[in-house]
Amino acid sequence: MTNMLIAGCGDVGTALGLRLAADGCRVWALRRDIDRLPEHFVPIRADLADRATLGSLPREIDVVYYTAAAGQAGDDAYRRTYVTGITHLLDALRTAGARPRRLFYASSTGVYGQDRGEWVDECSATVPRRFSGRQLLEGEAAARAGRLPVTVVRFAGIYGPGRDALIRRVRRGVPCAAEPPCYTNRIHRDDCAGVLRHLLGLARPQRCYVAVDDQPAPLREVVDWLADRLSVPRPPLAVAVRDGRGKRCSNGRLRASGYDFLFPGYRDGYDSVLRVDEGG
Ligand SMILES: NC(=O)c1ccc[n+]([C@@H]2O[C@H](COP(=O)([O-])OP(=O)(O)OC[C@H]3O[C@@H](n4cnc5c(N)ncnc54)[C@H](OP(=O)(O)O)[C@@H]3O)[C@@H](O)[C@H]2O)c1
């Protein structure tokens, strides 16, 4: 039986773990609050930021997924989660005598600072504009320092069941600028899990994948579509507070690897979220 460790097993990690368990894998799930894990995962209660709590990791781990997310904003919280946490985990795995064949590290498209609407992919320059992207980039480097084969997966904004911030914003009628068009990128939670599972099945996964759907779109376009779908008035126009146009993230490499999206665009994805809300 293949032994999977999901470190930071939250929304994406749990969706992934359920798929891996259905494939016949044993899923070891690490987080601080293990009461929120499905019953058939093997729970590991530990704090990635506290090396002393990582004393009893199983030796038989074959593959590691690192999907921890900082629960709060701020440089220190991000550093603890994305840099210190992975460093501690790799050290603890070494101490346990574990020799996983691959580590998948969940990162973010926030590592790209491009802001003029240009396309970015795995080969684009990474000059983050914010502290969060800088810490994630350091986290990617810390993951690679462990001398395991590493695949970094850079997710765009994740939405899905219960992750409905934009829907609530549209319902509240929060004003949104139309000019200049500001591109946004996203991926449904179930595709995050699907991508991580898909990459495991590749004979030679590459070092990095950008994981976004097929449809980067200006925020105003998404907001208008959601308002129409919800049958509420389109939110008022706002004056743009900055001149940035965002970036468009390409999933070309992921697509070429054979991944087939459950939700290739925001319309399908949000429609499914709303149908669940509507009980349909
Ligand atoms: N949100 C987005 O739009 C977005 C965009 C790009 C990339 N990502 C990345 O996608 C990945 C998956 O995110 P998600 O949506 O699944 O996040 P999530 O639902 O918040 O899950 C994160 C998990 O990490 C655990 N965790 C956090 N700090 C920990 C610590 N010190 N020790 C042990 N466990 C810890 C949390 O559990 P406990 O609190 O119980 O410990 C939680 O279960 C993350 O790497 C995230 O950074 C997210």
Side-chain angles (χ1 to χ4, degrees), residues 5-46:
L5 172 63
I6 304 179
C9 190
D11 193 30
V12 169
T14 299
L16 168 68
L18 291 171
R19 285 160 176 74
L20 296 176
D23 292 341
C25 301
R26 180 183 291 134
V27 176
W28 303 77
L30 185 154
R31 63 185 289 175
R32 291 164 298 192
D33 180 3
I34 57 168
D35 294 343
R36 300 170 66 181
L37 291 170
E39 256 176 29
H40 47 292
F41 291 3
V42 187
I44 303 177
R45 188 197 305 273

Side-chain angles (χ1 to χ4, degrees), residues 169-222:
R169 193 175 137 164
V170 171
R171 280 194 200 280
R172 288 204 313 275
V174 176
C176 176
E179 291 296 333
C182 185
Y183 283 95
T184 53
N185 304 268
R186 76 212 95 240
I187 180 167
H188 190 283
R189 190 274 315 273
D190 290 346
D191 274 314
C192 296
V195 165
L196 292 171
R197 174 170 172 256
H198 161 79
L199 294 176
L200 178 70
L202 298 182
R204 288 210 187 130
Q206 299 204 40
R207 284 167 57 87
C208 181
Y209 292 87
V210 171
V212 299
D213 70 17
D214 293 343
Q215 270 183 7
L219 183 59
R220 183 73 219 190
E221 177 189 312
V222 184

Side-chain angles (χ1 to χ4, degrees), residues 7-13 30-34 36 46-49 66-71 81-82 106-109 136 155-159 163:
C9 190
D11 193 30
V12 169
L30 185 154
R31 63 185 289 175
R32 291 164 298 192
D33 180 3
I34 57 168
R36 300 170 66 181
D47 181 351
L48 291 158
Y66 193 86
T67 54
T81 310
Y82 297 109
S107 180
S108 160
T109 53
L136 276 152
F155 292 114
I158 301 172
Y159 70 102
R163 307 181 76 146

